[in-house]
Amino acid sequence: MTSNIMPTYARQPVTFTHGEGAWLFDTEGKRYLDAVSGVAVCSLGHAHPAVAKALCDQAGRLVHCSNLYRIGLQEDLAKQLCDLSGMDNAFFCNSGAEANEAALKIARRYGHHRGIDTPKIVVMEGSFHGRTLATLSATGNPKVQEGFAPLVGGFVRLPYGDAEAVAAVDDPDVVAVLVEPVQGEGGVRIPPDDYLARLKSLCERRGWLLMLDEVQTGMGRTGRMFGHQHTGVTPDVMALAKALGNGVPIGACLARGVAAEMLTAGKHGSTFGGNPLACAAALAVIDTLTRQSLAQRAEILGQRLLDGFRTRLSGRPGVIEIRGLGLMIGLELERPCTRLVGMALEQGLLINVTAERTVRLLPPLILTDAQADDLVERLCSLVEAHLDAAG
Ligand SMILES: *Cc1c(COP(=O)(O)O)cnc(C)c1O
């Protein structure tokens, strides 16, 4: 296959023409059950009527005008996100990496504000924060960093889920902690229940900012509107993107308290960030999520899927762990299982494998019970066949 696209992705040999809810259709008319959702992006499913209508209406009115002017829809969106999260304000951008870039810039400014010339940020092993130079430097995956030295400095890396390790940091230059409530790309890693609360009290005592990368865990995915809402902890900074626009590119960096005062005129910006079209999509997403209680639905569906997978696969040789939070589900196997992606595709099922050995499921929050049961049935058969073949 030749193409003029830079080969940054190992793509599956399929092209989709349209979708409807949890279904995608390819150029041959074949139908696929989508348990990837464009990697946690299309949480309302494909071609959602409320998002489609908001986009069509807004496209006929005003797509873009620049942040040189006030944007009503951006102000509305910031207000809704702050009301939902308890944050004070928002900066809008176009991706998860950019939302984290804004967070990193807030932390650096906060450090300088405190008289620290070389501020450092605690980040975790196994994390993923994006592909820009600063965010790949923050990312805890050597494959993402390989060949891009010199990396951006000022990061202190610690094991994920280990609050003791953070407590043991004795470096006066540290000003912030950047962490995912659940590691997504890292293999659906769920930290101990008290992890964020312990990080929060540590940060409070030391004057550090607690910065949460909720790019994947945000917008209802884990069974709460934001992943940290399982814990009662409010962060100082929170990055959002992925599902915020259901596929329309939009990211946001929310901040609270002193962190909300760091990015002033001239200190940050984005040409497209928070334009009327993207904000109209995000407002339709939030309206649908809240009106249909889809975060609660994610919690119920997630439990249904976990129960189904555990009933069929728990204790089977080759299966290490079946875990999840809401509709972020990982089936960790003993050996690499990337070939399951192609096997599932053949059978009209879209799944993802991350960290080589973990089947990751991120189905849309609008999945029906029947679709959830179909997903369990089909995936379990595939995993069993894979394990049998591997011996
Ligand atoms: C996907 C992801 C990112 C990067 O988002 P992009 O929109 O691809 O830049 C950052 N952090 C987390 C936790 C993610 O899952």
Side-chain angles (χ1 to χ4, degrees):
M1 228 193 313
T2 63
S3 143
N4 300 107
I5 307 291
M6 283 192 196
T8 53
Y9 282 85
R11 293 170 196 267
Q12 296 300 315
V14 62
T15 303
F16 300 113
T17 53
H18 62 288
E20 191 187 334
W23 298 108
L24 275 172
F25 299 85
D26 74 6
T27 42
E28 314 298 306
K30 181 175 162 186
R31 186 175 83 156
Y32 300 78
L33 182 64
D34 184 4
V36 178
S37 307
V39 193
V41 167
C42 303
S43 286
L44 303 184
H46 302 285
H48 192 280
V51 179
K53 181 172 190 312
L55 283 170
C56 289
D57 289 354
Q58 192 56 40
R61 219 176 281 135
L62 182 68
V63 170
H64 180 87
C65 62
S66 165
N67 286 304
L68 293 170
Y69 311 101
R70 288 185 68 163
I71 298 172
L73 292 170
Q74 192 183 113
E75 292 177 22
D76 293 347
L77 178 59
K79 166 120 179 54
Q80 294 211 12
L81 288 172
C82 288
D83 286 349
L84 287 166
S85 63
M87 305 299 281
D88 288 336
N89 60 16
F91 170 81
F92 290 103
C93 51
N94 315 285
S95 68
E98 283 176 81
N100 283 323
E101 283 275 348
L104 297 173
K105 284 181 72 173
I106 287 173
R108 289 271 180 103
R109 287 275 294 165
Y110 173 71
H112 288 276
H113 183 76
R114 294 183 54 190
I116 298 169
D117 291 335
T118 52
K120 293 182 190 163
I121 300 165
V122 170
V123 292
M124 304 305 163
E125 290 169 4
S127 64
F128 183 78
H129 299 297
R131 302 281 192 166
T132 62
L133 277 170
T135 58
L136 78 82
S137 301
T139 289
N141 177 349
K143 276 193 200 153
V144 171
Q145 299 176 337
E146 191 190 58
F148 295 109
L151 300 182
V152 173
F155 295 108
V156 175
R157 193 170 307 284
L158 297 175
Y160 183 65
D162 184 353
E164 294 299 322
V166 182
V169 170
D170 180 21
D171 183 337
D173 283 345
V174 167
V175 296
V177 176
L178 174 65
V179 62
E180 296 156 86
V182 174
Q183 285 189 342
E185 305 305 303
V188 191
R189 305 242 157 247
I190 304 168
D193 286 345
D194 63 351
Y195 183 52
L196 289 188
R198 292 184 64 187
L199 293 186
K200 174 74 184 180
S201 69
L202 265 170
C203 286
E204 273 177 352
R205 265 181 281 143
R206 304 202 185 172
W208 300 346
L209 301 179
L210 178 63
M211 311 203 296
L212 297 184
D213 180 349
E214 292 243 22
V215 169
Q216 189 160 150
T217 51
M219 310 317 293
R221 172 58 55 187
T222 70
R224 298 288 184 276
M225 184 59 89
F226 305 108
H228 68 263
Q229 290 175 336
H230 287 276
T231 68
V233 164
T234 307
D236 299 293
V237 177
M238 171 169 70
L240 295 175
K242 291 209 162 92
L244 182 55
N246 209 55
V248 176
I250 179 167
C253 180
L254 278 68
R256 202 169 132 261
V258 63
E261 297 163 17
M262 292 299 121
L263 296 181
T264 49
K267 291 296 172 202
H268 202 34
S270 168
T271 294
F272 295 130
N275 82 17
L277 189 74
C279 290
L283 284 164
V285 167
I286 292 174
D287 183 63
T288 306
L289 282 176
T290 49
R291 223 199 287 237
Q292 300 182 6
S293 305
L294 287 178
Q296 271 164 274
R297 177 75 187 143
E299 184 166 41
I300 292 164
L301 270 169
Q303 199 54 57
R304 188 183 185 101
L305 289 168
L306 277 184
D307 289 346
F309 290 126
R310 285 178 177 152
T311 302
R312 274 276 292 272
L313 297 174
S314 276
R316 205 182 187 292
V319 177
I320 305 260
E321 193 183 27
I322 297 165
R323 55 180 177 259
L325 192 64
L327 284 178
M328 249 176 119
I329 292 178
L331 315 182
E332 184 178 344
L333 305 183
E334 200 170 67
R335 300 208 205 136
C337 60
T338 321
R339 72 187 196 107
L340 273 171
V341 173
M343 289 167 63
L345 186 76
E346 286 273 298
Q347 297 188 17
L349 176 64
L350 304 182
I351 60 166
N352 175 252
V353 168
T354 187
E356 277 184 6
R357 297 184 293 108
T358 302
V359 177
R360 179 174 50 160
L361 304 174
L362 299 158
L365 280 48
I366 49 83
L367 202 72
T368 64
D369 288 349
Q371 286 168 334
D373 297 344
D374 181 31
L375 171 57
V376 169
E377 179 60 37
R378 288 206 270 164
L379 184 58
C380 286
S381 299
L382 282 163
V383 169
E384 284 165 355
H386 167 74
L387 293 173
D388 289 343

